[in-house]
Amino acid sequence: MSVFTRSQADREALLLPELASLTSHHRANSEGYDRILSSLGIAPDTSFATIADLPWLPVRMFKTHDLKSVPDSEVFKTLTSSGTTGAGASRIYLDKESAGAQTKQLGATLQEVLGSERLPMLMVDTIGIIKNRRSFSARGAGVLGMANFGRKHTYVLDENDKPDVEAVKKFLAEYGDKPFLIFGFTFMVWLYLYEVARDNGLDLSNGILIHSGGWKKLIDRAVDNTEFRRRFKEDTGLTRIHNYYGMIEQIGTVFLEGPSGNSLYCPDFADVVIRNPETWEEQPVGEPGVIEVVSTLPTSYPGHVLLTEDLGVYNGIDDGDWPGKHFSVLGRLPKAEARGCSDTFSGAAA
């Protein structure tokens, strides 16, 4: 069953009461969150006319504040972001219910492009990234989370973080004649899959690539999304490519690139608001602003309405591959922390 079905009007009508209820829930169960809203002059009985009226937290708050809406005894898993500056890492607390919901909804989102069958899977990473099961980095959480959607996992990198060309060839010989899943962070996919496949004449035409994690290092190589897709198609035969936008502070919610490419879409339980960085009003289609991500999934911590440190732009509303708003990420805000998952990879070439 698709999770890309709601028009923007339906999304607003259905999500607003749920999100307002979540705001009340987090106020009642997180002292820190209640103090933040009170300091902003937002009373507990405030009503909200639109999703854009809901109070947002900057994602950076999770680096500096311990925010959770469940008692310590109910914390099932703690996730940490890949912070690279003195601000430290975000800490996200999940209880069993939240962890289950985020896994389920991530699955429902990806099923849109993968289908219901678990496919053989190439992981563009090293198995070492998922060794610590209790506390993950953002990259480790991404790899482990995606691993659930495949089978017969083959890691593209060996224990020394070098491409294992023979392992990839063996995987393709066994599974490459039918659909298979590929997952990795964008820069690593380019460096360790595209370049290896191109140089070794590998056929990836039956693959479905899911990738994410920032474009900075690729832009330095003059590779944008259009070029990424073109080169994969021409040199490896891979055409089914879906970038996604997501973050550990709203785990389980991903904004998925549609089949046409170059636009990200909101699943039915999520929304996006692009805000003018000076007035904080919502921007019209075509006007860049700061990305706010909205999701009904975060129940164990107040992460349901988050102002990111990324710039984006609406490409349209109810006029793309799937209903609702669709948008592009334009890059980090000036002076925002550069914390792309792929940038933290120790083996990546500069």
Side-chain angles (χ1 to χ4, degrees), residues 116-162:
S116 57
E117 187 185 341
R118 287 173 67 195
L119 301 174
M121 187 170 189
L122 268 181
M123 310 287 279
V124 189
D125 216 307
T126 168
I127 196 166
I129 193 67
I130 60 169
K131 287 291 168 68
N132 183 353
R133 289 293 184 106
R134 173 107 183 129
S135 183
F136 296 119
S137 67
R139 196 172 120 222
V143 169
L144 194 73
M146 285 298 302
N148 291 323
F149 305 109
R151 60 187 176 85
K152 306 292 184 185
H153 304 90
T154 294
Y155 286 81
V156 172
L157 301 179
D158 64 21
E159 282 86 11
N160 298 314
D161 297 336
K162 302 293 184 203

Side-chain angles (χ1 to χ4, degrees), residues 78-83 89-92 135-139 141 248-249:
T78 303
L79 305 177
T80 57
S81 68
S82 52
S90 294
R91 292 178 67 78
I92 303 302
S135 183
F136 296 119
S137 67
R139 196 172 120 222
I248 206 161
E249 292 87 359

Side-chain angles (χ1 to χ4, degrees), residues 322-333:
W322 298 318
K325 297 170 180 173
H326 57 105
F327 67 104
S328 292
V329 179
L330 303 176
R332 305 289 283 163
L333 283 170

